[in-house]
Each structure stands twice: as structure tokens, then as C-alpha cells.
């Protein structure tokens, strides 16, 4: 009987408490218009450019707040993908980029192509993204991640060993980039890749022409290395070749070579590569 009284009193107190809660005024909640929500979402994403490291809890918090205001803002998913790319969480990263591309292909399809090319070595997917972006922006040269789209298509076709197709895009790249008349603004990789297409097709004189043009405008260890390889094919005097290889080694030691954070650069030159040619 005593236990029943305790249970009865406890139940009665709980009912009173819940009844009191129901009589409390509702907490204030601000309602935002769509334009306000969109603006606040962009402000949260723009705030990431400050002190918040990609993948940090602070960055994650701001991204989630932005998503609450505007779940269809493509920048949200791009930011979520970026930190995963850099940590090698490949499947999740590309899911985020797929969402960003679906929401805003003009902004992010080329960037996804850049990732397919440099990070995942998926050349067919990269070319597909570049081609589709090109169709979206006719009569305009796109620069995903600040790289000329034709330049990246040329690289993709080199890696597929489709050298004439690669040359087609490198020609488009050089035609566009040389309009200023100053080839010094064109990075050395472009001359190297263009020359490699001829090297691989056995046209060593043409390859040498591209490497020399690159050296004239932008000295780089890779260009001297490939020039030496080409001169070997052309059976030049080996003392001349050794001097070129020495120049390549010195530039490499000084950091004048093609390299990329997170992943290896295509045709990246290493000390061992130069040493191997020196002892031939």
C-alpha cells in the first residue's frame, strides 16, 4: 500500500510538471526570408577563408550552420569535399563534389575534372568533365583551379598515350596563352608536355624545339632533363649532354622543378633520373 502511495505521488508530480511546461511561453525563434537565409549561408562559407583550417571542428561547425540556412548552396559541398580530398577519403570526397556539381556545374565541374586528373588519375572522367564544362561555356576558355582547361585536357590525353590528340589541345593552349606576346608567363610544364608528345612519337627534332623554347623562356630542371634525353636519341656529343644534365641537377637542387602538393606531378624529375642518364 505504501509503495502504491509513493507511485501515485510521483505520477501526480510528473503530471503537474508537464502541465506547467505546457503553460510556459514558447521560446522566441527568428524566421528568415529566403534572401536572408541565402545571404547568411554565404557569410558562413566566406568566413571559412579566415582562421579556420580545412577539416577542423570550427570549419565543420560553420559549414553545418550554412547548410541549415541554404542546403542548396553548392559551395557547402565543395568545402566538405576539399578537406576529404586532402586526407585521402576518396569515396566521400567525390560524393560531396558530385553534389556540388549537380547544384552548380559551371562552378565545380571543371574543378572535379582537376581532381580526377591530378589526384585520381582517372583521365576519362577528367576529360568528360572538361568537355561538359566547355559545352556549358561556349566561346570562353575556362580555368578550373586556375589552370587552362585545354592544358589539362592535353595532359589527360598524354597519359592516355593519345599524343596527336594531346598536341591538338596544347596547340589551343599556346595559341590562347601567347596572345600577350610574352611566353615567359607560360609555365615550364607546358613546354615540357608539348615536347614529350613529339618525343613519344619519335619526332625528336620537334621535341627538342619545344624543350629549347621552354628553356629560353622559363628554365627548369625538367626541361634540361628532357632535352638531354632527346639529344641522346639524336646521338649528340655526350660531353654536351653531361653539361645539360649538370644544369638540370643544379636547378633541381635549387628547387626549380615541377612539383605539386599532396600528389606527384606528371613526369616529375628526380635526382635518380638525372644520375641514370649521366652514367650512360
Amino acid at each position: 500500500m505504501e509503495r502504491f502511495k509513493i507511485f501515485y505521488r510521483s505520477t501526480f508530480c510528473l503530471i503537474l510538471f508537464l502541465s506547467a511546461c505546457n503553460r510556459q511561453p514558447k521560446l522566441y525563434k527568428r524566421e528568415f526570408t529566403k534572401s536572408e537565409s541565402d545571404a547568411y549561408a554565404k557569410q558562413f562559407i566566406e568566413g571559412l577563408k579566415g582562421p579556420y583550417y580545412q577539416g577542423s571542428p570550427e570549419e565543420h561547425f560553420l559549414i553545418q550552420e550554412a547548410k541549415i540556412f541554404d542546403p542548396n548552396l553548392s559551395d557547402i559541398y565543395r568545402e566538405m569535399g576539399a578537406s576529404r580530398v586532402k586526407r585521402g577519403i576518396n569515396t566521400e570526397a567525390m560524393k560531396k563534389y558530385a553534389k556540388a556539381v549537380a547544384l552548380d556545374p559551371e562552378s565545380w565541374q571543371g574543378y572535379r575534372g582537376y581532381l580526377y586528373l591530378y589526384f585520381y588519375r582517372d583521365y576519362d572522367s577528367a576529360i568528360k568533365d572538361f568537355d561538359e564544362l566547355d559545352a556549358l561555356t561556349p566561346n570562353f576558355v575556362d580555368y578550373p583551379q586556375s589552370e587552362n582547361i585545354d592544358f589539362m585536357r592535353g595532359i589527360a590525353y598524354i597519359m592516355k598515350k593519345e599524343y596527336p590528340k594531346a598536341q591538338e589541345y596544347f596547340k589551343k593552349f599556346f595559341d590562347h596563352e601567347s596572345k600577350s606576346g610574352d611566353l615567359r608567363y607560360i609555365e615550364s610544364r607546358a613546354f615540357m608536355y608539348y615536347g614529350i608528345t613529339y618525343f613519344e612519337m619519335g619526332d625528336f627534332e620537334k621535341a627538342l624545339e619545344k624543350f629549347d623554347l621552354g628553356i629560353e623562356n622559363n628554365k627548369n630542371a625538367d626541361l634540361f632533363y628532357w632535352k638531354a634525353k632527346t639529344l641522346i636519341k639524336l646521338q649528340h656529343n655526350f660531353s654536351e649532354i653531361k653539361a645539360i644534365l649538370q644544369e638540370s641537377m643544379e636547378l633541381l637542387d635549387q628547387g626549380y622543378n615541377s612539383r605539386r602538393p599532396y600528389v606527384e606531378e606528371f613526369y616529375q624529375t628526380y635526382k635518380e633520373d638525372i644520375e641514370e642518364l649521366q652514367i650512360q
Side-chain angles (χ1 to χ4, degrees):
M1 184 67 177
E2 186 64 28
R3 292 175 59 188
F4 176 77
K5 288 180 180 178
I6 294 172
F7 172 77
Y8 177 80
R9 285 198 299 267
S10 299
T11 304
F12 180 72
C13 289
L14 177 61
I15 291 171
L16 287 177
F17 173 76
L18 292 175
S19 177
C21 288
N22 289 333
R23 289 197 298 271
Q24 291 292 324
K26 292 184 178 179
L27 294 175
Y28 172 76
K29 182 181 178 182
R30 166 77 187 275
E31 296 294 335
F32 298 97
T33 66
K34 185 178 186 309
S35 61
E36 287 175 327
S37 294
D38 293 347
Y40 287 133
K42 289 177 182 177
Q43 285 182 26
F44 276 115
I45 293 299
E46 288 170 1
L48 301 177
K49 299 173 185 176
Y52 304 114
Y53 188 74
Q54 282 185 328
S56 66
E58 295 85 358
E59 189 218 34
H60 182 74
F61 174 80
L62 291 178
I63 287 174
Q64 293 305 315
E65 288 297 307
K67 192 175 178 183
I68 291 170
F69 280 105
D70 184 5
N72 293 317
L73 179 61
S74 65
D75 298 54
I76 291 170
Y77 304 96
R78 184 265 169 181
E79 288 293 339
M80 293 169 74
S83 58
R84 289 163 174 81
V85 165
K86 294 174 181 179
R87 288 159 176 78
I89 310 174
N90 301 343
T91 301
E92 288 302 312
M94 297 315 285
K95 284 180 182 178
K96 304 303 182 187
Y97 277 101
K99 180 73 172 177
V101 171
L103 291 169
D104 187 359
E106 284 192 33
S107 292
W108 302 120
Q109 189 154 14
Y111 190 88
R112 185 176 66 178
Y114 169 92
L115 295 177
Y116 277 134
L117 175 64
Y118 285 108
F119 282 76
Y120 303 118
R121 288 357 192 200
D122 184 346
Y123 309 119
D124 289 325
S125 293
I127 291 168
K128 181 175 182 293
D129 270 344
F130 296 145
D131 287 347
E132 290 180 1
L133 174 62
D134 214 14
L136 288 172
T137 57
N139 304 314
F140 179 79
V141 177
D142 295 285
Y143 282 79
Q145 192 63 3
S146 301
E147 283 206 8
N148 184 298
I149 193 173
D150 292 322
F151 176 63
M152 289 193 285
R153 279 192 283 203
I155 296 172
Y157 279 112
I158 281 184
M159 302 313 295
K160 284 168 60 66
K161 302 185 186 303
E162 296 182 26
Y163 303 116
K165 195 72 175 175
Q167 288 172 354
E168 175 187 327
Y169 283 108
F170 285 128
K171 183 179 186 306
K172 287 180 67 175
F173 166 78
F174 274 97
D175 286 347
H176 180 77
E177 298 295 331
S178 61
K179 286 179 181 178
S180 67
D182 192 344
L183 297 181
R184 291 176 299 174
Y185 291 104
I186 299 178
E187 63 174 303
S188 59
R189 287 189 305 143
F191 298 99
M192 181 183 72
Y193 294 145
Y194 205 0
I196 287 172
T197 63
Y198 289 103
F199 183 94
E200 295 292 353
M201 294 174 69
D203 190 345
F204 303 117
E205 292 287 355
K206 195 72 174 178
L208 186 61
E209 176 187 313
K210 300 302 180 186
F211 299 141
D212 278 339
L213 185 61
I215 290 168
E216 180 185 336
N217 289 280
N218 198 339
K219 289 186 178 181
N220 179 286
D222 307 280
L223 285 166
F224 279 95
Y225 170 74
W226 277 94
K227 178 175 181 176
K229 283 174 67 81
T230 306
L231 291 178
I232 290 172
K233 291 291 186 181
L234 292 169
Q235 299 182 330
H236 276 231
N237 184 290
F238 198 68
S239 61
E240 176 192 357
I241 294 169
K242 288 190 74 172
I244 292 168
L245 287 170
Q246 183 60 36
E247 182 78 9
S248 179
M249 185 70 81
E250 290 174 4
L251 288 168
L252 185 64
D253 288 340
Q254 295 168 27
Y256 292 105
N257 69 305
S258 300
R259 56 194 183 278
R260 179 173 295 278
Y262 304 108
V263 294
E264 184 183 51
E265 183 60 271
F266 295 109
Y267 294 98
Q268 184 167 334
T269 302
Y270 293 96
K271 184 178 180 180
E272 293 79 7
D273 300 320
I274 300 170
E275 290 174 341
E276 187 177 336
L277 285 187
Q278 286 176 328
I279 62 175
Q280 287 189 8

